[in-house]
Structure formats: C-alpha cells, structure tokens
Amino acid sequence: MIDSVLEIVSWVLMATGGAFVLIGGIGALRLPEFYTRLHAASLTETMATILIFSGMMLQAGLTLATPKLAAIMVFLLLTGPVASYAVANAALQSGMRPGARGLEENDEGDAR
Amino acid sequence: MPRRGTLKLLPLLGLILILLLSWTLWSGMFKPLLLWLGLFSCLLSAWLARRMGFFRLQLPLRTLLRLPAFWLWLLREVIKSSLEVARIVLSPSLPVSPTLVTLTTDESTESGKVILGNAITLSPGTVTIDMHEDTLQVHCLTREAAQALQEQEAQRQTARLGLG
Amino acid sequence: MSMYLVVALAILVTMVLALVRALRGPTRYDRVLAVNMFGTKTALLLSVIAYLIGRPDFLDLALAYALINLVGILAVLEFLQERSSREQEPRHD
C-alpha cells in the first residue's frame, strides 16, 4: 500500500519535473531578450531539478544512492544562481542594458 | 595580499569530517591505499579552503539551526513563482513586463549578502544581476514580481538567519 | 522504468532547444547562457540515465559534470570579459 503510494508520488514528481524542463527550454527559445531568457534558464535549474531529484530519491529509498542524489541536487541548487549571476553580471559589465523599466517609470506594464 | 583568515579549530575539524564522510560515501571502497589517498585529498582541500579565506566567513550555529525553516520558505517561494513563470512562457501572447528593481540590504556579512542574492535568483522570475556594497539590482520578468520584491520578505527571511 | 525514459526524452528535447538558442545567439551572452543550461541539463540527464539503465555509478559522472560545467562557464566568462575590455567598445552583435 505504502509502496504504491510512494511509487505514484515519485512518478508524479518526475513527470512534473520533466514538464518544467520542457517549459524552460521553450521559454529560452520564445522569450524576447537576453535578460528575460535568464528567467527561463532559472526555471529549469531550480524547480525542475528539485522535482526530478526528489522523485528519484523516493524511488531509491534508503540506499546509498539517496545521499548521492541529495548531494548532486544541493550542489546544482547552490551553483545555479552563481552561474546565472556571473553570466548576467558579465553582460551588464559589457554594457548591455536590460530593456527593462524601473518600477516607477511607467504605469502600463508591457515593455516590448 | 589577501588575508588568509585565522584558523578556528572547530570549523576546521568540521570541514575535514564532512570531507572524509563524503569521500567514503562516494568511493564505497575500503582498500588501505584508497583510504590514504582520501585522507590526503581531504587535508589538501582543507588547506585550499583556508587559502581561499573560507574560515574567515562566519557561520554561527544558530544559522545552521534556522536553515531548514529558511529552505522551507524558499521552497514555497520557488513553487509559487515557477508556476507563474510557466504560465507566462506558455501563454500565446507572452505577457512579460521586464522591470528593474534596486533593493538595499542590511546584511553586514558577505555570507548574508550571498544568501540573499542567491535566494532571490533561485526563485524564478527574479534574477540578481548586480550586487555592490549593500545595493542589489534585480531583474524581474513581470511588474507583479517586482512589486512582490518590494515587500522585503526576502530580506526579512535572510535576517532571521541571524548572520550579522 | 518507462518513466525515466519520458523524463530523459524531455531533458534531451530541452537540450536541443538550448542548442538552438546557442546557435541563434544573438549576443554572446545568450550563447553562454544557453551553454550553461545545456551543461546543467547534462548533469540532470546523466543522473536520470543512471536509473534508466540501472548503473548507479553514472551518478558520479553527473556530479563531476556539474563541477566541470560551473568552472567552464566561469572560465569562458573571464575570457569574454578580458576580450571585451580589450576591444573597449561593447558590441551588441
């Protein structure tokens, strides 16, 4: 009973994780500008990583693989933002201005 | 010449213990040669960490104890904003409204600033693109995300870690 | 078993999409971002493959790839920064 519940939960986690990976990939292609594409990349890097790895950890159960999976997940989650920051900051330093407005500058949203 | 950082015994022993544990966990082999190599590489890593000024950073025990609650908040935040970003990416009209926000932080320690910046980047829809002294520039995918950031929840949660 | 295959395929499709973004650019930072995405997806794919073909030692490869990816991206960015400071004027391709 418990086993099949765990099974279903882990499948659901992994399926949603796969869906988020796909959405992130689509976003990286569809979004209009460099700084907005950062958000699509961070979608696959955080949400999808958490979902897929927790699904696999449920599958692995109490084996040596679980701490390994957890270690890889934590490592990816710690370095993901660092890499994002490094890329974004390098672009900013090179003089690429984000096509974004400040919060007070306009009242209507859409800045495209 | 960068400061090497003073050597505190407890953090050093803790680091070496963690390194040894992950070595044995990862290799799963217990031949004497491999164990000696493991010990050697753990000591080498600890020395490199000292050279990088790792022991200059302070990570008080209360921070470690409060970390799980922080992660729980972060997880909720990540789920919420992931769904929002997914909705935006999949909707045909692509309703983005990129907004730049400048935030200030009261965190005085380097670790506090890094944790704050990374927490903001980790939740999709907001990315820290610049950090200087105590101001952060955050790029947001939508105006709504930018307005949510102005409520300073991230700063409050980071402050509760009690680093400074 | 088949679930791993579905997830692996989803990751592969996203890697192709990232590759398309890397080829299309338009700026060099778009390309770096896409390559970084490709790299982290490789680490993810390797861990899924470990379960798909039942070889847990692939997890070690996943960790090694995640490490190399981060260092590689930082090295490329360092190189780009060096070059753009030599070129003086920022380019937007």
Side-chain angles (χ1 to χ4, degrees):
Chain A
M1 186 55 205
I2 294 284
D3 270 7
S4 62
V5 170
L6 272 185
E7 191 89 343
I8 291 169
V9 170
S10 82
W11 283 159
V12 169
L13 284 174
M14 284 177 65
T16 11
F20 269 109
V21 167
L22 268 182
I23 293 170
I26 295 168
L29 218 54
R30 275 195 80 196
L31 288 169
E33 181 226 6
F34 168 73
Y35 289 98
T36 55
R37 282 177 207 133
L38 277 175
H39 300 290
S42 92
L43 188 65
T44 68
E45 252 146 55
T46 55
M47 191 64 186
T49 306
I50 294 174
L51 285 170
I52 291 179
F53 275 103
S54 31
M56 287 198 297
M57 274 176 345
L58 283 184
Q59 282 286 313
L62 288 173
T63 58
L64 204 60
T66 306
K68 279 192 186 184
L69 283 170
I72 300 175
M73 179 174 94
V74 168
F75 183 79
L76 281 176
L77 288 180
L78 285 179
T79 58
V82 176
S84 288
Y85 176 82
V87 179
N89 199 248
L92 197 71
Q93 301 284 330
S94 84
M96 202 165 126
R97 306 306 312 170
R101 327 221 171 148
L103 201 54
E104 293 82 21
E105 282 168 44
N106 65 329
D107 289 313
E108 284 101 273
D110 220 29
R112 266 193 308 142
Chain B
M1 194 60 198
R3 274 187 50 218
R4 292 285 168 79
T6 49
L7 206 56
K8 282 164 276 178
L9 199 60
L10 206 60
L12 178 72
L13 287 180
L15 179 70
I16 291 181
L17 195 69
I18 291 173
L19 287 173
L20 281 174
L21 210 67
S22 32
W23 172 278
T24 41
L25 181 81
W26 226 269
S27 80
M29 282 190 266
F30 299 97
K31 290 179 206 150
L33 173 69
L34 284 174
L35 288 179
W36 282 115
L37 283 176
L39 185 65
F40 173 70
S41 63
C42 288
L43 292 176
L44 183 68
S45 306
W47 178 69
L48 284 174
R50 191 184 82 103
R51 234 179 86 95
M52 286 167 62
F54 177 78
F55 297 106
R56 219 179 346 150
L57 305 175
Q58 38 207 329
L59 205 63
L61 194 62
R62 60 171 184 275
T63 304
L64 290 180
L65 292 178
R66 288 174 195 166
L67 218 45
F70 182 74
W71 280 347
L72 214 62
W73 166 77
L74 196 56
L75 184 67
R76 266 209 306 277
E77 215 48 31
V78 166
I79 293 172
K80 233 173 26 193
S81 48
S82 293
L83 290 172
E84 182 60 22
V85 173
R87 192 184 62 77
I88 290 170
V89 166
L90 290 181
S91 56
S93 64
L94 215 59
V96 295
S97 45
T99 309
L100 263 186
V101 183
T102 308
L103 295 176
T104 54
T105 164
D106 299 330
E107 294 294 325
S108 53
T109 58
E110 264 176 57
S111 349
K113 288 176 194 173
V114 170
I115 288 176
L116 176 63
N118 275 7
I120 290 175
T121 305
L122 214 46
S123 42
T126 50
V127 175
T128 312
I129 60 172
D130 195 29
M131 177 170 255
H132 185 69
E133 313 239 303
D134 54 5
T135 58
L136 293 88
Q137 284 216 312
V138 184
H139 188 276
C140 307
L141 192 58
T142 58
R143 277 178 64 80
E144 290 71 47
Q147 275 153 355
L149 265 186
Q150 301 259 306
E151 281 160 28
Q152 314 251 326
E153 185 59 24
Q155 281 102 314
R156 244 172 286 139
Q157 291 285 345
T158 314
R160 274 167 65 178
L161 286 173
L163 271 161
Chain C
M1 179 54 95
S2 64
M3 195 59 217
Y4 293 119
L5 195 63
V6 174
V7 177
L9 282 177
I11 297 175
L12 274 175
V13 170
T14 295
M15 285 168 83
V16 172
L17 293 176
L19 213 52
V20 172
R21 177 45 75 199
L23 290 173
R24 287 228 312 234
T27 67
R28 38 177 90 142
Y29 297 102
D30 278 298
R31 298 180 211 275
V32 178
L33 182 67
V35 169
N36 179 39
M37 205 170 148
F38 191 86
T40 52
K41 294 300 92 58
T42 310
L44 213 55
L45 182 68
L46 281 172
S47 347
V48 175
I49 284 181
Y51 279 86
L52 180 64
I53 64 174
R55 282 184 55 186
D57 42 331
F58 266 54
L59 287 180
D60 305 7
L61 299 184
L63 186 77
Y65 203 93
L67 279 162
I68 292 170
N69 182 54
L70 178 75
V71 175
I73 290 296
L74 293 180
V76 168
L77 285 174
E78 191 73 12
F79 170 73
L80 279 182
Q81 230 156 13
E82 180 109 329
R83 203 167 72 167
S84 70
S85 73
R86 223 181 303 143
E87 280 171 0
Q88 281 303 353
E89 179 201 40
R91 261 178 59 194
H92 287 274
D93 292 329

